Amino acid sequence: MYLHRLDLRAIGPYPDLVSIDFAALAASGVFLLEGPTGSGKSTIIDAVVFALYGKLAGADATDDRLHSQHADPTVEPFVELVFETGAGVYRVRRTPQYDRPKQRGTGTVKQQASVQLFRLAGPADVAGEPVSSRIPEVAVEITRIVGLDRAQFLQTVVLPQGEFARFLRSPGEERRKLLQSLFGTQVYDRTADELAARRRAVQAEVDGADARVRDALSRFAQAAGADDPDEAAVTPTVVALRAAADAAEAARAAAAGTATAAAAHEQAIIARAAARERRAELLRRRSLLDAGAPDVDAARTRLALADRAARVAAIADGLDAARVRSAEAASAADALRTRHEISATGDDLVRRRATVAECIAAVRHLVAVETGFVARRRSITDASSRAEQLTRRLADLDTALEARPAERARIVEDARAAAETAAGAEAARHEVERVGRLRADLDARAASERRVRAAEAAVGAARTTAHDLVRAEQQLRERRIAGLAGELGAALQPGDPCPVCGAVEHPAVALPQDDHPTAEAIEAAGRAARRAEQDLSDSAAALAVDRAEHERLVQALGDTDAVTVDALAAAAGALVEAAHTAAVRVRTLEQQRAAHDEQTRTLERQRNEVATERAVLVASASADTERFGQDTAAVQQAVDRVTGLLDDEPDSLGAGVARLDALVDRLDAVSRADGLAVAAAGAVRERLAEVERVLAEQEFDDVAAARAGLLDRGRSEELQRAVATADRERAVVDAGLAEPDVVAAAGTDADALDLEGARVDREQSALAAEQATRAATSAQDRATASEQCATEVADAVRARDDTSARSRAVVRLADIAAGQPSVNPSGITLGTYVLMRRFEDVVAAANDRLRAMLAGRFTLETSDERESGSRARRTGLALAVHDQTTDTRRAPGSLSGGETFTVSLCLALGLADVVQAEAGGVSLGTLFVDEGFGTLDPETLDDVIGQLSRLTAGGRQVGIVSHVEELKQRIPERIAVRRTLEGGSRVTTTV
């Protein structure tokens, strides 16, 4: 993803519009975003992240810092970003939620956040095609377009302050959460959870299968009559029960055969007796049928004659009905022609109807034209009246416009004069300042006079004090010299040599006077005298300074006094007031001129609109009048044509067309009536030919002979019943006499039928068969039930074995994915294992860059051990730093500030490379590094800048956020952020 342009306003410390052209900045690959701490460098990165994802870059940052506190509350804050990905060029504009003043009354109202996303034809396109303005939809589209969500974006495009150093030092559990969100490996954790759920499910299936085997064995024991059989005893028990059932079945079959034979013998005797009786009955019924056969034949012949007569009568009835319809149709046609007074027939009728229809088709469209004549006349009249009004309005506007230039010239002249007066405002302000300085000098001169008098008095007092103290010191010294012998005598001890004569004997030692001054007193008097002399010197110096200042002010002011200054101040104030009044009048006149120009433009616009409307109206009215005359002539011609087909001239064309429509309806009605009459006559002819054909087919001389052969319904049904009854009875008798049992019964002797003995044999055999059947059924049921239960046992055992086999694979997979020590000694879960492989790729990519920095001293290493101080579970994502100089492993937290920055930067860049590859090769054209470059020494800084510069070889843009002064000398392209006196910040760009 490449950034092209960023615009923002009323965001963070930026009250005014800020525009940054990243495309121009990143021409050389690396650019610098620099400024003092807290000036708003990170706000620019926040603006980029907010434009894309609606949130700030920092994890702890809140959105309420977006709206600038330095901007006018009525100004809408916004961020607009133009960026490019493989999906195209897009522009996104967002406004954060903020409080704006109410339009009426006092207080504020909360303005909700908004977003707009556009697809652009190119970076220079300013409009674009709208994509969406709904925040949820834009969030989905941005993630799709960029190919990264916000977390991935912050780890690959924007590296905010402290974030990737935190990643370096974070415990394995926190690192796992971050990597999981970046690489989307939650699916592997969900897979492990799903496998655990399936493990529980298959374990439940195994338990259920064991329970079903136990239930099946219990049912088998009940069916077989066995006591708690195991799985191995099922088959032998079934075999024994089946053998017993087969033996019982054989005994039942033998008894059943005996009973069946006895029953069959009894039934045979009963059947032969019944057959002899049935044959006798059938012979009697046949004799009765033979006696009534002539009557049945006569009825059948009469029914056949009636059937042929009915066919002829039906056709003859149709002929009579056709003749009636033909007469009615001819009569109706004559009556309709008479009522409509139409004498034409045949082709003449058709031609007249065609002539009328042609006339209607030719003039019908003019009926609507005739209907609109009234409205069109009124419209033409209204248009003429409106044109006259517009002509008068146009004249008024022309008159008003002619007076506008003179009015404008007067306003401009007044404004020029007021501007000349207002131009003296600066000179008036200078005069006021000069008068102020004069007044200050007057006040200073008066104060200086007072200070000089005070200083003179101080000098006099200091001189007197110094003279007195010096004299007192001299007197003390003189008195001490005078009493020096007594001072020396007081100091002598017996045997000490005299300091004057050297003698050791002192017959008359001098003694000091009571008020003899001591050396300390003289020294104190000397110090007091020196201080007094210094005070006198200081006072004299101060007096000289005050006198010099007073002399300067006297010379500067000359004879200027307070009255003169007051007069000058009044004059200067009058000039300032006049200039201010003139400036206000300039603004007022400028507003009047602008309003006058706007009114003039309004009048000109109105004049053009009126002229255009009048021209269009006049042209339209002329055309309408011409078309109205043409339409009037066309309608009159149509009326004349319609009159030629009617008896008199209609009141209007519409009335004439309506009368022609009615005439067409009458002609059509007569034509339809004639057609019906012709069709009815043809039907009569067709029916007559059909009657003659049917008479010949049914062998009747005429219709009357056929009608004589008809039967009424009652008689016909009576004859049909008689014939049908005789036929059914004959068929039943013939079929019965043809039955084999009846035919065989003709030679049977009645004495050979011993029915009672056969019945006794059958009952005894049936009783024996019933007992054998019950025994066989019991044995068979037990064998069948045991076989079914044995099948259930086998199915349950097979299902249990299948479930156990299937569950073993699921349980093993679930235990491996969950890191169970029994199958996975490492204790690392599936999701963590995948993250470990990704993390190894990240560390390898980081080490590729780290080898070129810090003199190759450090490399990063991964471990599945628990990190120091971590009470979380073992993640397999522990990180250590290998110090090549001492060949020892160090914790990341033991690195210095510069080392931490360098190592964490390499780790962040490696993470960005792997995330980019994992995201399907997303192009990451722009990278921001917001970190502490100030912790690096010059040599390491060179290495880091070189490593970042190598990122630009593939076309990447790298933005470095820092306040380090040395970077300004290394990177010419930069964005400079500086605070303003008003409290906000401003941005300048150097390309």
Side-chain angles (χ1 to χ4, degrees):
M1 185 190 77
Y2 291 89
L3 303 183
H4 287 288
R5 188 177 68 256
L6 174 68
D7 296 325
L8 57 94
R9 183 181 65 193
I11 297 295
Y14 305 106
D16 302 322
L17 179 65
V18 174
S19 295
I20 300 175
D21 189 349
F22 287 111
L25 272 172
S28 63
V30 179
F31 62 92
L32 178 65
L33 175 56
E34 58 91 9
T37 301
S39 60
K41 302 186 298 297
S42 297
T43 301
I44 293 178
I45 295 181
D46 282 334
V48 172
V49 178
F50 174 74
L52 293 172
Y53 298 101
K55 293 290 185 181
L56 302 185
D60 301 328
T62 57
D63 294 346
D64 56 4
R65 62 175 280 195
L66 273 175
H67 189 198
S68 177
Q69 302 299 317
H70 308 287
D72 188 335
T74 61
V75 174
E76 178 189 50
F78 77 89
V79 176
E80 185 171 286
L81 178 67
V82 177
F83 64 96
E84 182 176 2
T85 69
V89 182
Y90 293 85
R91 175 167 61 88
V92 59
R93 178 187 175 96
R94 285 187 190 268
T95 62
Q97 179 178 287
Y98 69 100
D99 294 330
R100 63 168 177 81
K102 293 183 178 178
Q103 296 179 351
R104 295 181 180 177
T106 60
T108 61
V109 62
K110 190 172 294 297
Q111 188 73 26
Q112 297 300 322
S114 65
V115 65
Q116 291 176 302
L117 179 63
F118 301 87
R119 182 183 178 90
L120 308 182
D125 186 4
V126 297
E129 176 186 356
V131 176
S132 177
S133 60
R134 298 181 69 249
I135 293 178
E137 291 181 356
V138 171
V140 174
E141 281 297 311
I142 290 290
T143 302
R144 181 189 65 80
I145 293 168
V146 178
L148 303 170
D149 58 23
R150 177 175 171 271
Q152 294 171 324
F153 187 84
L154 291 178
Q155 287 295 332
T156 55
V157 177
V158 176
L159 307 179
Q161 292 181 358
E163 291 296 322
F164 54 90
R166 184 180 308 156
F167 177 72
L168 171 68
R169 295 171 174 172
S170 63
E173 180 64 21
E174 294 183 11
R175 194 176 294 123
R176 183 188 67 82
K177 294 178 181 178
L178 176 59
L179 292 174
Q180 188 180 66
S181 66
L182 289 176
F183 294 113
T185 58
Q186 298 90 338
V187 63
Y188 298 104
D189 290 338
R190 291 196 296 270
T191 300
D193 294 340
E194 177 64 21
L195 287 173
R198 292 192 179 185
R199 183 186 191 282
R200 292 190 295 271
V202 298
Q203 188 60 49
E205 290 180 5
V206 170
D207 294 342
D210 289 338
R212 285 190 291 275
V213 169
R214 290 192 297 271
D215 292 343
L217 284 172
S218 177
R219 289 193 295 274
F220 175 78
Q222 184 177 3
D227 295 334
D228 298 330
D230 55 14
E231 299 174 14
V234 170
T235 301
T237 303
V238 171
V239 172
L241 291 173
R242 173 49 61 192
D246 292 342
E249 183 61 28
R252 185 199 65 77
T258 303
T260 300
H265 178 65
E266 179 185 5
Q267 289 299 323
I269 293 175
I270 294 172
R272 286 197 297 272
R276 292 181 72 253
E277 294 177 357
R278 176 172 173 72
R279 182 173 181 279
E281 177 61 22
L282 290 174
L283 290 174
R284 182 185 64 78
R285 290 166 64 184
R286 188 174 62 180
S287 298
L288 294 176
L289 288 173
D290 292 341
D295 295 336
V296 174
D297 292 339
R300 187 176 282 111
T301 300
R302 183 68 181 89
L303 286 172
L305 176 62
D307 183 58
R308 291 189 292 110
R311 296 177 186 175
V312 176
I315 300 301
D317 292 342
L319 175 60
D320 294 341
R323 286 171 175 167
V324 172
R325 287 194 296 271
S326 177
E328 291 175 349
S331 176
D334 293 340
L336 189 62
R337 182 175 286 104
T338 301
R339 184 168 68 252
H340 293 329
E341 299 179 353
I342 297 174
S343 59
T345 60
D347 294 341
D348 292 340
L349 182 64
V350 173
R351 283 193 293 273
R352 185 178 180 188
R353 199 268 182 199
T355 301
V356 175
E358 180 182 359
C359 178
I360 292 173
V363 303
R364 186 184 295 279
H365 69 283
L366 294 173
V367 173
V369 175
E370 182 189 45
T371 304
F373 278 170
V374 175
R376 291 172 65 182
R377 288 192 189 95
R378 184 165 55 252
S379 176
I380 292 173
T381 302
D382 293 344
S384 300
S385 175
R386 175 62 177 164
E388 293 176 358
Q389 294 176 359
L390 292 176
T391 301
R392 292 192 294 272
R393 173 62 176 160
L394 191 61
D396 294 340
L397 290 172
D398 288 337
T399 302
L401 286 172
E402 289 173 358
R404 302 301 289 181
E407 295 177 6
R408 189 181 191 280
R410 178 185 59 77
I411 295 173
V412 171
E413 179 60 26
D414 292 345
R416 185 191 62 76
E420 290 179 354
T421 303
E426 188 66 22
R429 283 194 295 273
H430 288 318
E431 180 63 16
V432 169
E433 292 174 357
R434 188 183 73 82
V435 172
R437 289 193 297 272
L438 285 176
R439 188 179 300 279
D441 288 345
L442 282 175
D443 295 340
R445 186 177 66 180
S448 177
E449 289 177 355
R450 291 191 295 272
R451 288 196 301 275
V452 167
R453 288 193 294 270
E456 289 175 345
V459 168
R463 182 178 292 111
T464 300
T465 302
H467 180 269
D468 293 343
L469 291 174
V470 169
R471 185 172 180 81
E473 181 189 6
Q474 291 175 350
Q475 291 176 352
L476 287 175
R477 290 185 182 277
E478 292 173 354
R479 288 170 56 196
R480 187 185 179 207
I481 293 171
L484 187 60
E487 181 180 345
L488 292 174
L492 286 177
Q493 297 293 331
D496 291 339
C498 177
V500 177
C501 63
V504 296
E505 295 180 356
H506 312 294
V509 178
L511 296 175
Q513 299 177 357
D514 295 337
D515 60 348
H516 180 75
T518 64
E520 290 79 4
I522 295 173
E523 182 66 25
R527 286 196 300 272
R530 301 293 85 74
R531 284 196 300 271
E533 289 175 348
Q534 182 63 41
D535 291 343
L536 176 60
S537 176
D538 292 343
S539 298
L543 176 60
V545 171
D546 289 340
R547 283 175 176 173
E549 176 65 14
H550 181 263
E551 183 64 24
R552 185 189 67 79
L553 291 173
V554 169
Q555 292 177 358
L557 290 173
D559 57 354
T560 302
D561 55 8
V563 176
T564 303
V565 171
D566 291 341
L568 291 175
L575 290 175
V576 170
E577 182 64 24
H580 175 72
T581 302
V584 173
R585 179 163 174 75
V586 166
R587 289 194 297 271
T588 303
L589 290 172
E590 184 62 26
Q591 293 173 355
Q592 291 180 2
R593 184 194 60 76
H596 183 276
D597 291 345
E598 181 62 28
Q599 292 174 359
T600 301
R601 288 191 293 270
T602 301
L603 289 174
E604 290 175 346
R605 187 165 55 252
Q606 292 176 354
R607 198 266 179 200
N608 294 334
E609 292 174 354
V610 170
T612 302
E613 184 181 357
R614 179 183 175 279
V616 171
L617 195 60
V618 170
S620 177
S622 176
D624 289 346
T625 302
E626 182 179 355
R627 286 195 298 271
F628 181 74
Q630 295 172 354
D631 291 343
T632 302
V635 169
Q636 186 57 48
Q637 292 176 0
V639 170
D640 294 342
R641 183 173 180 179
V642 170
T643 303
L645 296 176
L646 300 174
D647 297 336
D648 54 359
E649 183 176 353
D651 296 334
S652 64
L653 178 60
V657 171
R659 290 174 61 184
L660 289 181
D661 286 336
L663 177 58
V664 169
D665 293 340
R666 294 196 300 273
L667 292 173
D668 288 342
V670 170
S671 178
R672 286 194 298 273
D674 287 349
L676 291 175
V678 171
V684 169
R685 290 192 295 273
E686 292 175 358
R687 290 288 185 178
L688 182 59
E690 187 176 1
V691 167
E692 291 176 353
R693 178 180 58 79
V694 173
L695 284 173
E697 289 176 354
Q698 301 301 326
E699 299 178 354
F700 286 103
D701 294 335
D702 51 26
V703 174
R707 292 186 186 279
L710 293 174
L711 287 173
D712 58 35
R713 183 174 181 180
R715 180 58 179 164
S716 176
E717 291 177 353
E718 180 182 354
L719 292 177
Q720 288 176 356
R721 285 195 298 271
V723 171
T725 300
D727 290 342
R728 285 197 301 272
E729 181 66 14
R730 175 69 68 180
V732 170
V733 170
D734 291 343
L737 292 174
E739 292 176 358
D741 293 342
V742 174
V743 173
T748 302
D749 186 1
D751 296 335
L753 301 176
D754 185 5
L755 182 58
E756 185 61 28
R759 183 178 295 110
V760 173
D761 293 340
R762 189 259 304 164
E763 291 176 354
Q764 293 176 350
S765 300
L767 180 59
E770 182 180 358
Q771 294 174 348
T773 298
R774 283 197 297 270
T777 300
S778 177
Q780 186 67 31
D781 291 345
R782 174 166 292 183
T784 301
S786 63
E787 288 177 344
Q788 292 175 350
C789 292
T791 302
E792 292 178 2
V793 171
D795 293 341
V797 170
R798 186 164 51 253
R800 182 194 61 190
D801 295 341
D802 293 343
T803 301
S804 298
R806 186 173 65 254
S807 67
R808 283 192 292 273
V810 174
V811 169
R812 178 173 176 78
L813 283 176
D815 290 343
I816 292 174
Q820 292 296 329
S822 59
V823 294
N824 188 352
S826 66
I828 297 174
T829 64
L830 176 62
T832 302
Y833 176 81
V834 175
L835 286 180
M836 287 172 61
R837 302 288 81 78
R838 296 292 185 275
F839 190 50
E840 289 174 357
D841 296 338
V842 171
V843 171
N847 285 331
D848 288 342
R849 291 184 169 84
L850 192 56
R851 292 188 187 95
M853 300 185 189
L854 300 177
R857 177 182 176 184
F858 298 117
T859 57
L860 293 172
E861 295 180 353
T862 61
S863 172
D864 61 354
E865 297 178 356
R866 182 180 290 107
E867 289 179 310
S868 176
S870 175
R871 293 177 294 176
R873 58 175 175 159
R874 179 172 296 157
T875 63
L877 301 175
L879 189 63
V881 179
H882 191 130
D883 192 335
Q884 302 293 341
T885 58
T886 61
D887 194 22
T888 58
R889 288 164 59 97
R890 297 172 54 183
S894 66
L895 298 176
S896 66
E899 293 169 346
T900 297
F901 168 74
T902 306
V903 173
S904 59
L905 175 62
C906 292
L907 184 62
L909 294 176
L911 182 62
D913 291 341
V914 176
V915 170
Q916 176 180 354
E918 287 294 319
V922 175
S923 176
L924 303 180
T926 302
L927 173 68
F928 284 97
V929 181
D930 186 3
E931 262 302 335
F933 287 85
T935 60
L936 303 180
D937 58 74
E939 182 179 356
T940 304
L941 184 60
D942 285 338
D943 294 339
V944 172
I945 296 300
Q947 189 63 234
L948 293 176
S949 299
R950 280 191 287 275
L951 292 176
T952 65
R956 255 184 171 180
Q957 306 168 351
V958 179
I960 298 176
V961 185
S962 179
H963 60 272
V964 176
E965 188 67 26
E966 188 175 352
L967 288 174
K968 299 179 185 178
Q969 310 302 323
R970 299 170 179 263
I971 304 175
E973 292 83 4
R974 61 180 179 267
I975 304 169
V977 181
R978 295 293 183 271
R979 299 189 187 93
T980 63
L981 296 177
E982 292 77 11
S985 296
R986 58 182 174 83
V987 173
T988 56
T989 304
T990 302
V991 180

